[in-house]
Amino acid sequence: MAEAEDLSPAEAYARFRHQQAYPQLRRFADDYSFDFDDYQVEACRAVESGSGVLVAAPTGAGKTIVGEFAVHLALAQGRKAFYTTPLKALSNQKYNDLVDRYGAEKVGLLTGDSSVNGDAQVVVMTTEVLRNMMYAGSPTLRGLGFVVMDEVHYLADRFRGPVWEEIIIGLPDSVQLVCLSATVSNAEEFGSWLGEVRGEMEVVVSERRPVPLYQHVLVGNRLTDLFADVAPTADLEDRAATYDVNPALVRIAKEESRAVRDDSRRPRGRSGKGKRNAAATRYGGGAAREHQERSRYRPAHRAEVVRVLERADLLPAIVFIFSRQGCDAAVRQLQAAHVHLTQPDEEAAILAIARRHVEGFSDDDLHALGYESFLDGLLRGVAAHHAGVLPALKECVEECFEAGLVKVVFATETLALGINMPARSVLIEKLVKYNGEAHVEITPGEYTQLTGRAGRRGIDVEGHAVVVWQPGMDPRAVAGLASKRTYPLRSAFRPTYNMAVNMLNRMPRGQVRTVLELSFAQFQTDRSVVGLARRLARSSGDYADLAAQAACDLGDFMAYARLRDEIHRIETAAVRQDKELRREETERVLAALRPGDIVRVPSGRTQGWVVVLDNAHLDAQQGPRPTVMTPDRQVRRLSLTDFPALPQVAGKVRIPKHFQSRDPSHRHSLGAALRQRLDELDTTPRPVRAEGSLNDKERARIADLRDDLAEHPCHACPDRETHARWAEKALRAERDARQIEHQVARRTRSIADRFDKICTVLGSLGYVRATGTDDLEVTREGRTLAQIYSEADLVVAECIRDGVLDGLSAPQLAAVLSVFTYQPRRGDEHRSQRMPDLPSHEAYERVGRIARRISLVERDARLESIIELPPGFARAAFDWCAGLALAEVLDHAEMSAGDFVRWARMVVDLADQVATGSGPGDLRETCHEVRHRMQRGVVAAAISAPEEEGEDG
């Protein structure tokens, strides 16, 4: 560490004493050419003192220094250190860094794809690998002294977050834990939980950015400061008392609002009528779209935006567009506008990097990937980065950008999640994104994550965040985004079937329940119970007050009100039971539909007669989702909500073998055949049975209650209905209090209760069995389940046990396994929902029956579960495993290369798990064949692909 200048004698002596107290930190720091920040020193001292530590600091603030110090300390003490990351790409990046520092013989790498020197003293790995090692009792864990959990805020991730908590709870107490997190607003709460679970745990929080971040708005083609004075993210010394919005932006907003109605933000046209667009927000967008052409401040063309950034010396830049298609279109627009940002020597360096990343790819594969266009953009200094880009090409973009060769990257938000790609500036096109269900405003936490990439430590003296002005934008709302630093960490932990059997393999049931109650999810839930208790006290008080208002001089009016309430409850329950029975019957009828069946849809936008095209889509919660076509050739997917009355099947029409729903001529021919067939059939709607029919016992009970009402003294009260209104409110308050009591009881044991329900299901299906000591023993089938880490782990294990996967060829097995891993993106509804051939289709139908059977067992155990088995990737998995060329597979699948590779690798991963879980035999051999056949070409090259979530289209 470089010596600080101008220290007083007292300060110099204090530094000397600290260096003597922390000798390893002094040796570690001596290897660096810069002084560590105060928070880095504080955290490293905690580690050397033997404490665990949680470090929460902004992106790019250098918190990995603390993790690397833990590695240094492990080597110095002769112990092992595991450095875990959430992404394979991050693991590879950190492995290379540590090899450069300590040498290849001391550092290993373990991911789902790579195993390099796994017995080394320092091993970099993904979190899933460490979790699996813990459950397997791997000997590699012997001598483990430190575990660094990089990007630990990933534990909020819905799908992968629970793995972090499994590790934190399950690691031996002797292991020191170093957790590195982005800035979160509840770091102290998270640290308190870590302290309860792990023992001594220091919490070190730094909100100081290493580089000041200035905030701007791009209005047309002019950069304007967002704040009148310094931005809060640039005020590192907190000198300003307030941060006022730039008055120029307020004037622009007022000027625009004169042409837009206050209620709907629509232009003051001839009538001003029309529905408000759902995308209208404080940040502009949908409601103002029709006004953009007439606005003086409409967004500039993307090529002009890049030129503005270049003139302002704000390159390299990351431009966030919350759409893959938008990112790709932006690159094409810059190419069409002849934007060129690189010099000849940079082009030569880019070309060398690109060739290295596609080495081994055939010319046909490169052509299928659109490599020529990709390279043209790269040589111009522009590129797209999103989950749809092939991993090899994405890594090429990352390397070029880190080297300063690529100047502009158009990216989706997944780039903000850990990959080391800092820039001088970050530009956000819109502050509204599609979350899978609706267009919503981004949160302050998301804004902080995105803009955190701006400002390269040691290169830039300042970073810049730019928001593109959208008509209808409120600059005060944007300033609020840039001022707040709220990014609360919320646990996504919940027990799974796989987790249950793995933990029961290691400890008794009672101990498992105790361990699960240590989770961060339970910790947060217990804290929320305090608020519920306050609500319970209020509701109880409300009941007493309202019951007093309902008092009647003739008798106990609350007793009279309870008689009325019971009559209402019985009648309502009869209606509800009727609906449940009809739902079950409707689900049975829908499940039996076959292509060509003509069925009547009684309500919804598809109301009328339709023909079934496909009934392969199964949703464990919503039941069958048949795809149908209306007589006017509209293709829709139905659900149970379309059938308030039972489906009525009138007949059948033949569907050609090679029918394609996306082909207009095919739809036209089938539509004509459907209309002709309907003319021949009796299409008179069946009468609908009335809801709420009572059985004899219920009718007798209601008759007795009505007699009791008539005999009650309050029945004759002239103010009866006035009293009744107060009594109804009192009973509602009483019900609220009971519900809150139930919530308190359920929340205080919510995680353990879910575990108990999971054990009930596992016991019903034979995966665990009771022992004489009131404990549970994992059966042979349970040990198979312990190897399956899929979201649909229990369905996969049942398929292995029932022989569903036996006798399939490798391509057929790949197709069936894909339904357990594939998750369709928005807009993928058109993708074929059929299995590639008859054996795979029959196997898929058996999978569906197993999923429904499990759902019924879960329902009996009162366990909520969602099992989706979409076959949208089955054809692609089959074709690739059968040896088809990449161009053919991508053409048939109609998906991006990045998506294809991600889902293909997940099929391979699941095949490995099934091979391990099924044991010796033909199925294991077929699983190995699936891996061998699919691990080729672009799939084999993707060994460092991060497993990203899909973005908006």
Side-chain angles (χ1 to χ4, degrees):
M1 185 185 292
E3 289 294 326
E5 298 177 359
D6 300 326
L7 292 178
S8 69
E11 289 171 332
Y13 180 69
R15 165 171 286 195
F16 171 76
R17 289 292 301 270
H18 278 305
Q19 289 175 343
Q20 295 303 308
Y22 301 99
Q24 289 300 334
L25 176 57
R26 177 173 55 80
R27 294 190 189 99
F28 177 70
D30 284 344
D31 290 338
Y32 288 83
S33 59
F34 56 86
D35 285 344
F36 289 169
D37 292 339
D38 290 345
Y39 88 90
Q40 293 169 324
V41 172
E42 181 185 353
C44 289
R45 285 175 178 169
V47 176
E48 188 165 358
S49 299
S51 170
V53 66
L54 166 65
V55 184
T59 301
K63 51 185 173 285
T64 54
I65 285 286
V66 185
E68 290 170 8
F69 176 62
V71 171
H72 167 88
L73 210 54
L75 291 170
Q77 296 174 355
R79 296 198 287 170
K80 285 185 178 180
F82 288 172
Y83 197 112
T84 71
T85 77
L87 303 175
K88 295 171 188 174
L90 280 178
S91 293
N92 290 334
Q93 208 170 62
K94 183 53 64 178
Y95 168 73
N96 291 328
D97 291 346
L98 293 176
V99 165
D100 289 344
R101 186 174 183 86
Y102 298 112
E105 71 283 354
K106 291 184 179 179
V107 184
L109 174 68
L110 292 174
T111 69
D113 306 304
S114 304
S115 177
V116 180
N117 198 16
D119 293 324
Q121 198 172 348
V122 177
V123 184
V124 183
M125 62 185 67
T126 52
T127 42
E128 282 82 359
V129 169
L130 178 53
R131 186 268 312 274
N132 298 352
M133 288 170 64
M134 283 169 44
Y135 283 157
S138 171
T140 309
L141 294 169
R142 293 197 197 104
L144 181 61
F146 298 87
V147 168
V148 180
M149 303 193 79
D150 204 352
E151 309 285 348
V152 74
H153 52 273
Y154 258 78
L155 69 75
D157 182 82
R158 174 186 160 200
F159 295 105
R160 303 177 61 216
V163 176
W164 273 254
E165 292 191 48
E166 289 179 73
I167 292 171
I168 291 169
I169 294 169
L171 279 174
D173 293 341
S174 59
V175 176
Q176 270 182 260
L177 198 61
V178 177
C179 297
L180 311 179
S181 170
T183 306
V184 291
S185 53
N186 60 336
E188 288 75 14
E189 178 190 40
F190 184 44
S192 296
W193 170 70
L194 286 169
E196 284 197 11
V197 175
R198 302 293 313 167
E200 188 178 356
M201 180 68 65
E202 289 288 323
V203 179
V204 179
V205 178
S206 173
E207 294 196 9
R208 186 180 185 275
R209 285 180 49 86
V211 176
L213 177 65
Y214 292 88
Q215 308 278 348
H216 314 280
V217 178
L218 182 61
V219 184
N221 60 1
R222 191 176 75 243
L223 273 175
T224 304
D225 290 339
L226 174 57
F227 293 93
D229 196 6
V230 66
T233 48
D235 185 12
L236 302 185
E237 306 301 326
D238 294 325
R239 291 189 298 268
T242 60
Y243 302 99
D244 297 324
V245 178
N246 189 339
L249 293 175
V250 177
R251 283 196 299 272
I252 291 171
K254 287 181 177 177
E255 182 182 324
E256 279 199 337
S257 69
R258 295 191 193 104
V260 180
R261 289 194 180 277
D262 292 337
D263 59 345
S264 64
R265 313 293 279 179
R266 302 282 290 188
R268 288 185 185 270
R270 285 164 288 184
S271 68
K273 294 180 180 178
K275 291 189 295 185
R276 179 172 183 161
N277 190 306
T281 74
R282 299 171 296 165
Y283 307 132
R289 196 169 293 131
E290 296 166 12
H291 186 57
Q292 281 194 9
E293 291 303 319
R294 290 164 38 185
S295 172
R296 291 175 52 199
Y297 307 108
R298 64 178 182 269
H301 187 277
R302 282 167 174 153
E304 179 58 25
V305 168
V306 170
R307 292 188 179 105
V308 170
L309 295 178
E310 184 181 26
R311 287 194 295 269
D313 196 24
L314 296 185
L315 300 183
I318 298 171
V319 179
F320 284 108
I321 303 174
F322 301 125
S323 160
R324 298 182 186 184
Q325 293 178 358
C327 293
D328 295 336
V331 173
R332 290 194 299 269
Q333 288 165 10
L334 265 63
Q335 288 171 312
H338 306 294
V339 172
H340 208 107
L341 305 171
T342 53
Q343 301 301 318
D345 58 327
E346 292 175 319
E347 290 181 26
I350 290 171
L351 192 59
I353 292 171
R355 283 175 175 163
R356 176 160 42 82
H357 279 280
V358 298
E359 191 175 2
F361 287 16
S362 69
D363 291 342
D364 288 343
D365 283 354
L366 292 176
H367 179 73
L369 295 169
Y371 177 71
E372 187 175 337
S373 176
F374 166 81
L375 184 60
D376 176 74
L378 211 60
L379 293 171
R380 293 173 181 273
V382 298
H385 187 289
H386 55 72
V389 177
L390 188 77
L393 302 186
K394 195 156 47 176
E395 290 165 9
C396 175
V397 172
E398 292 164 7
E399 184 175 342
C400 289
F401 192 80
E402 287 178 49
L405 302 172
V406 167
K407 314 300 180 183
V408 179
V409 168
F410 295 96
T412 54
E413 61 187 309
T414 53
L415 185 141
L417 301 176
I419 302 299
N420 183 28
M421 282 181 64
R424 179 166 296 171
S425 68
V426 163
L427 182 139
I428 305 176
E429 276 203 352
K430 292 181 180 178
L431 298 174
V432 177
K433 68 172 186 175
Y434 187 78
N435 67 359
E437 297 177 358
H439 286 87
V440 296
E441 301 173 353
I442 69 170
T443 66
E446 289 169 332
Y447 184 89
T448 300
Q449 282 283 100
L450 296 171
T451 57
R453 292 286 168 205
R456 297 164 296 175
R457 186 172 192 171
I459 301 175
D460 301 319
V461 294
E462 57 191 38
H464 298 266
V466 182
V467 175
V468 175
W469 178 272
Q470 301 290 339
M473 182 178 277
D474 180 357
R476 285 161 296 212
V478 180
L481 269 186
S483 302
K484 297 173 185 172
R485 300 187 186 181
T486 53
Y487 186 65
L489 202 57
R490 293 283 174 258
S491 172
F493 181 83
R494 62 183 193 133
T496 64
Y497 294 112
N498 170 277
M499 187 191 302
V501 292
N502 271 300
M503 295 187 80
L504 287 168
N505 254 333
R506 299 169 63 209
M507 61 188 79
R509 178 179 183 172
Q511 189 177 344
V512 173
R513 295 178 87 261
T514 302
V515 167
L516 290 175
E517 286 177 337
L518 294 174
S519 68
F520 187 41
Q522 189 65 61
F523 184 83
Q524 290 187 311
T525 296
D526 290 345
R527 288 195 166 193
S528 71
V529 167
V530 176
L532 285 173
R534 283 197 293 266
R535 283 178 54 200
L536 177 60
R538 274 200 307 272
S539 293
S540 301
D542 290 346
Y543 170 78
D545 294 342
L546 293 165
Q549 293 284 347
C552 176
D553 294 338
L554 300 181
D556 184 352
F557 199 89
M558 288 309 300
Y560 178 77
R562 291 184 198 282
L563 294 173
R564 289 172 55 146
D565 188 60
E566 188 174 355
I567 292 171
H568 175 71
R569 183 184 57 77
I570 293 171
E571 292 174 340
T572 303
V575 172
R576 189 183 304 116
Q577 185 179 25
D578 261 15
K579 285 183 176 177
E580 289 176 2
L581 290 172
R582 189 172 59 242
R583 177 189 170 95
E584 291 176 8
E585 195 173 350
T586 299
E587 186 172 348
R588 182 184 57 76
V589 173
L590 289 181
L593 291 176
R594 291 294 177 263
D597 284 345
I598 298 173
V599 62
R600 184 176 181 275
V601 182
S603 68
R605 63 175 183 167
T606 318
Q607 184 174 10
W609 291 96
V610 297
V611 59
V612 177
L613 302 179
D614 190 2
N615 198 19
H617 188 83
L618 174 71
D619 186 308
Q621 292 298 106
Q622 299 183 47
R625 300 286 309 279
T627 302
V628 301
M629 190 186 81
T630 65
D632 60 354
R633 304 188 297 280
Q634 297 295 314
V635 176
R636 300 269 191 265
R637 179 174 290 162
L638 303 180
S639 69
L640 288 172
T641 56
D642 293 306
F643 294 92
L646 277 176
Q648 179 180 346
V649 181
K652 204 169 183 70
V653 65
R654 194 183 75 81
I655 296 181
K657 182 178 180 181
H658 299 293
F659 177 81
Q660 293 289 333
S661 62
R662 302 191 74 193
D663 189 319
S665 63
H666 287 201
R667 293 200 308 272
H668 186 277
S669 300
L670 183 59
L674 173 61
R675 289 190 295 274
Q676 180 181 346
R677 188 77 179 102
L678 286 172
D679 290 339
E680 302 167 0
L681 296 171
D682 177 11
T683 56
T684 307
R686 293 195 202 121
V688 179
R689 176 167 55 87
E691 290 181 348
S693 51
L694 300 169
N695 59 38
D696 292 342
K697 184 178 178 181
E698 289 165 339
R699 275 195 292 271
R701 177 59 180 154
I702 286 180
D704 290 343
L705 289 169
R706 292 195 188 281
D707 289 342
D708 291 344
L709 275 178
E711 294 170 4
H712 197 284
C714 292
H715 193 63
C717 178
D719 297 323
R720 183 182 66 192
E721 293 310 309
T722 301
H723 295 319
R725 282 192 290 272
W726 286 109
E728 285 170 10
K729 292 178 181 177
L731 290 174
R732 198 176 304 126
E734 186 181 56
R735 281 193 296 271
D736 288 346
R738 277 203 304 267
Q739 189 175 8
I740 293 170
E741 281 180 340
H742 177 67
Q743 282 182 290
V744 169
R746 184 163 49 86
R747 287 194 180 189
T748 50
R749 298 174 58 253
S750 57
I751 302 297
D753 279 351
R754 178 176 170 82
F755 170 71
D756 288 341
K757 292 173 182 177
I758 283 174
C759 289
T760 299
V761 173
L762 292 174
S764 299
L765 296 173
Y767 287 86
V768 296
R769 59 171 167 256
T771 64
T773 58
D774 195 30
D775 200 0
L776 291 175
E777 178 183 48
V778 178
T779 64
R780 182 172 59 84
E781 291 80 6
R783 288 190 288 276
T784 296
L785 174 59
Q787 304 298 326
I788 309 299
Y789 294 94
S790 163
E791 284 285 304
D793 47 10
L794 187 55
V795 184
V796 176
E798 281 286 272
C799 288
I800 295 172
R801 179 167 70 173
D802 287 6
V804 173
L805 308 179
D806 295 342
L808 297 174
S809 67
Q812 290 163 352
L813 179 60
V816 175
L817 292 180
S818 74
V819 307
F820 301 112
T821 59
Y822 175 64
Q823 295 168 359
R825 297 173 59 244
R826 183 178 69 95
D828 285 350
E829 294 82 4
H830 67 272
R831 188 160 292 142
S832 172
Q833 300 299 318
R834 296 186 179 187
M835 299 300 286
D837 64 4
L838 183 59
S840 60
H841 175 75
E842 290 174 344
Y844 178 61
E845 287 196 325
R846 291 178 66 187
V847 171
R849 288 194 290 273
I850 286 172
R852 285 192 288 275
R853 187 176 77 219
I854 291 173
S855 292
L856 292 175
V857 178
E858 289 173 330
R859 187 186 303 175
D860 291 342
R862 299 181 180 275
L863 183 66
E864 292 182 5
S865 176
I866 297 176
I867 305 170
E868 293 185 351
L869 304 168
F873 189 66
R875 177 88 243 179
F878 182 95
D879 288 347
W880 185 252
C881 193
L884 266 65
L886 179 65
E888 289 182 82
V889 176
L890 294 181
D891 185 51
H892 293 162
E894 297 180 347
M895 66 171 54
S896 69
D899 281 337
F900 166 73
V901 168
R902 182 166 65 258
W903 300 125
R905 294 206 62 77
M906 292 182 75
V907 170
V908 171
D909 287 345
L910 183 55
D912 287 344
Q913 294 168 27
V914 172
T916 304
S918 61
D922 292 341
L923 178 56
R924 172 179 283 187
E925 294 306 312
T926 309
C927 287
H928 289 162
E929 188 180 351
V930 168
R931 163 175 274 280
H932 175 72
R933 285 171 169 240
M934 295 191 73
Q935 199 86 310
R936 62 184 176 92
V938 295
V939 177
I943 60 172
S944 59
E947 296 173 4
E948 297 168 316
E949 292 296 309
E951 310 93 344
D952 184 14

